Structure formats: structure tokens, C-alpha cells
């Protein structure tokens, strides 16, 4: 399962300061696309937790002392970044109310500037997921299977097959950045203009395929082959084969006219 696999806090997070938030708490971005099924309870406060060291701008506190310490110290910086951004808390709240993949994607589109900060802090592959699981006992949830999971796997596998043909090392699947790639290609489908690069995803190279109707997994294979066949004078060929790239995030979006939009962000 995938979609954004969200981090869900399995215990009550208390707000400090003067926060009036009563919404259930953090479930954030991750492997690209979905919200936690569970109903985690969390709130963002107006200041750091009393008695806890670390970044004073981190406004998330929890009842479990060991986890609280990890949030404020080990993950203090990404916590502070999210806490300072009003839309980060809004995106977090929006996503905790979701029970479907489509709902989550609507939240992402509503708060695009908050996506990466929220992933870095609470998402799958983010700081809490990587650094605090032992102390926080966080669970990963999802709002259902990612409809593009098979296509994402095919995308990465085919890129590596093509890279292997020219002696370039394989890239890894960058699940942490897939939500941003999805948001970029959604933006392009909405405007009808490719390579909009919005919101910024910090990609080092990008290939975007012509929108078409059909199976996303089949379309991405055909598109990648077309780019590879363009040869070494093509920037799209260079993006696929560049030996310096280490990972790739494959983004997909189903437009209302039945066309599938897809792109690949290289890192």
C-alpha cells in the first residue's frame, strides 16, 4: 500500500500555550499519497514543551516523555519548520479528516507549500518515521491502496533497465518525494502546460510525458522508451541515464478528460 503512507501518532498529543485546536492529530505525508486510517490524536501548540530541551519553536508535544524528547531534539528542526508555517498545520488537519486517496490529494492541492515540510517532519521517510519510531511507537497508515503503485514500480524498474544498458548505476525509488511529483503533474494537467515545476520539488532533472489515455503502467513504459530512443543529444535521454542521479520520484495524475499525466523527477 502506498499513497503517501502517513505517520499516525498512536497516543494523545497535547497542545501547549494558547492553542485552541481540537482536531485529531498528526498524520502526514510519506510514500506518496495517502492518509492514515487510524484517528491519531494530536495538536500543535503555541510553543515548545515545558521541561523538554531542543528547538523551542517546535510546537508539538506528546504525553510520552521519551517520544516528546525525540520530537523536540532529534526532530526539532523539521518540527519547528512545520510549526512556523500556518499551512503546515492546516494541511495536517485537513489530511487527518480524510478517509480516501482522492481526499488526501485535494488537501495537498489546497496547501501545496506545506507538503514538503510536513513530509520532512511526520511523513513516511521523514524525521519522526526514521528517527523516533523506537521511542514513539508510531504506526504507518494509509487511506487505501495507491492507484498508481504498479505504475510507480514499473517506472523505476524500467529506468534502471535503461540505465543498465549504458552502464549507469541504478536509482532508488524516492517515495518521500512522490507526493510532490504527483502535485506537480496535477498542476500541469490543470493548466494544460507541461514542465510547470510547481510546486517546487527540488528536482535536479525532470521528464514529462505527453498525456494519453490508457494504463498508467503501460504508458510510462512507452514514454520512457521514447525518451531513451531520442539518444544522447536529448536532455530527456540524459535525465534517464545521468550517472550522478541517485533516486527518482514518478508522479501521476488522472485528468477529468480521461488522460493520464505523468512525469519523472530525478535526484
Amino acid at each position: 500500500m502506498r499513497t503517501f503512507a502517513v505517520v499516525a501518532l498512536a497516543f494523545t498529543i497535547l497542545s501547549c500555550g494558547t492553542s485552541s485546536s481540537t482536531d485529531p492529530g498528526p498524520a502526514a505525508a510519506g510514500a506518496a499519497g495517502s492518509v492514515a486510517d487510524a484517528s491519531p490524536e494530536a495538536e500543535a501548540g503555541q510553543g515548545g514543551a515545558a521541561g523538554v530541551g531542543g528547538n523551542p519553536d517546535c510546537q508539538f508535544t506528546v504525553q510520552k516523555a521519551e517520544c516528546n524528547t525525540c520530537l523536540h531534539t532529534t526532530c526539532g528542526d523539521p518540527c519547528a519548520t512545520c510549526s512556523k508555517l500556518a499551512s503546515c498545520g492546516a494541511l495536517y488537519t485537513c489530511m487527518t479528516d480524510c478517509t480516501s486517496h482522492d481526499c488526501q490529494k485535494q488537501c495537498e492541492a489546497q496547501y501545496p507549500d506545506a507538503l514538503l515540510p510536513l513530509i520532512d517532519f511526520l511523513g513516511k521517510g521523514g524525521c519522526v518515521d526514521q528517527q523516533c519510531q523506537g521511542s514513539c511507537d508510531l504506526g504507518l497508515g494509509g487511506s487505501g491502496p495507491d492507484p498508481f503503485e504498479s505504475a510507480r514500480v514499473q517506472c523505476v524498474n524500467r529506468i534502471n533497465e535503461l540505465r543498465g544498458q549504458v552502464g549507469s548505476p541504478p536509482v532508488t525509488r524516492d517515495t518521500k518525494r512522490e507526493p510532490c511529483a504527483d502535485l506537480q503533474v496535477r498542476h500541469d494537467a490543470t493548466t494544460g502546460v507541461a514542465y510547470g515545476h510547481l510546486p517546487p520539488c527540488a528536482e535536479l532533472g525532470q521528464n514529462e510525458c505527453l498525456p494519453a489515455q490508457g494504463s498508467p503502467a503501460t504508458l510510462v513504459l512507452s514514454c520512457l522508451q521514447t525518451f531513451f530512443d531520442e539518444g544522447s543529444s536529448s536532455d530527456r535521454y540524459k535525465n534517464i541515464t545521468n550517472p550522478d542521479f541517485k533516486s527518482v520520484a514518478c508522479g501521476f495524475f488522472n485528468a477529468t478528460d480521461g488522460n493520464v499525466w505523468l512525469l519523472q523527477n530525478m535526484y
Side-chain angles (χ1 to χ4, degrees), residues 16-18 45-49 56-61 72:
C16 57
T18 60
Q46 296 299 316
D57 293 323
C58 174
Q59 297 178 4
F60 287 79
T61 60
H72 284 256

Side-chain angles (χ1 to χ4, degrees), residues 1-9 25-38 40 92 95-96 98 104 108 118-119 122-125 129 133 138-143:
M1 91 192 301
R2 170 203 181 273
T3 80
F4 213 176
V6 172
V7 166
L9 296 184
S34 92
V35 177
D37 292 322
Y92 151 74
M95 292 193 340
T96 58
C98 285
Q104 179 204 350
E108 295 170 18
L118 192 58
I119 292 174
L122 292 174
K124 185 174 181 181
D129 180 35
Q133 281 207 18
L138 301 183
L140 296 178
S143 63

Side-chain angles (χ1 to χ4, degrees), residues 34 39 66 68 80 96 111 161 176 181-182 187 252:
S34 92
S39 297
E66 185 180 5
N68 203 40
T96 58
Y111 305 104
E161 289 173 357
K176 183 178 176 181
D182 286 350
H187 173 271
F252 297 86

Side-chain angles (χ1 to χ4, degrees), residues 145-193:
D146 176 11
F148 299 115
E149 175 64 22
S150 175
R152 296 187 207 276
V153 172
Q154 293 273 25
C155 179
V156 177
N157 289 346
R158 186 53 182 158
I159 287 174
N160 282 331
E161 289 173 357
L162 296 173
R163 288 172 67 86
Q165 292 182 28
V166 298
S168 294
V171 291
T172 60
R173 177 180 171 184
D174 200 333
T175 56
K176 183 178 176 181
R177 290 185 170 103
E178 284 173 355
C180 196
D182 286 350
L183 204 54
Q184 280 189 333
V185 80
R186 177 189 181 122
H187 173 271
D188 292 352
T190 301
T191 62
V193 180

